[in-house]
Amino acid sequence: MDTYVTGITIKTLREKKGLTQTELADLIGVSSKTISKWETAKGLPDISLIKPLAKALSVSVMELMTGNTVINKNISSNILRSKFYVCPVCNNIIRTVGAAVISCCGITLPPLEAEETDKNHQITIEKVEDEHFITVHHDMTKEHYISFATYLTFDRVQFVKFYPEGNAQTRLNLHGSGFLYIYCNKHGLMKQKI
């Protein structure tokens, strides 16, 4: 982890929950003096107390550690609101429906911002029977390649992983209105409205 819980975070979350220092202390089995020390930056919680502290404050351990709380306002779970995350260490690909705090390989990952496809990342779509043949016109070398393509509509996801030195081609069932996303390991996430 590149961050550790701060006193300001503890105090803010405690007050948001409507707890006194004594009430929080009772919930996790420490003294109110200890909570006061944490909140005034005169000490830090022991690592063994992080999970109980997060539970008492009704947040995840990651939210407690980063100080960024997440409120999922995406009640209807519209898949078009998906967020993508790619780990720069292991290239793990994570998709969420709505806001989240995502960590991989000890790094808190920011959601990727999609740009419109450009001339170096053109996509050709050809109708073949009841599917569409998708080709991303891009070199596929070990150093520079398209990692994945995904098609999102409000109610479904189709995801295809590509590999270096392979072809950036696939068949997808394009029903309804949505977005086709591609991820270039050098230029990031791009999208095209379908």
Side-chain angles (χ1 to χ4, degrees), residues 35-139:
I35 301 293
S36 177
K37 283 183 182 179
W38 295 345
E39 291 183 358
T40 57
K42 294 179 181 164
L44 293 171
D46 184 76
I47 195 73
S48 64
L49 294 173
I50 295 298
K51 196 170 181 181
L53 180 59
K55 184 177 179 183
L57 295 171
S58 301
V59 296
S60 69
V61 170
M62 187 57 61
E63 290 170 305
L64 178 63
M65 299 292 279
T66 64
N68 297 321
T69 56
V70 173
I71 299 168
N72 189 358
K73 296 177 184 172
N74 191 14
I75 296 168
S76 67
S77 297
N78 184 334
I79 292 177
L80 286 174
R81 295 183 185 141
S82 291
K83 306 263 185 226
F84 293 93
Y85 305 82
V86 176
C87 178
V89 177
C90 70
N91 295 318
N92 191 14
I93 303 161
I94 302 159
R95 183 189 63 83
T96 64
V97 180
V101 177
I102 303 295
S103 177
C104 189
C105 297
I107 301 167
T108 302
L109 305 176
L112 300 173
E113 294 290 328
E115 296 179 12
E116 296 298 321
T117 54
D118 58 25
K119 64 180 182 170
N120 297 319
H121 300 87
Q122 291 183 350
I123 301 171
T124 301
I125 302 171
E126 301 172 57
K127 180 110 168 112
V128 179
E129 297 171 359
D130 63 340
E131 295 182 315
H132 291 81
F133 190 68
I134 312 294
T135 303
V136 182
H137 301 283
H138 191 282
D139 290 337

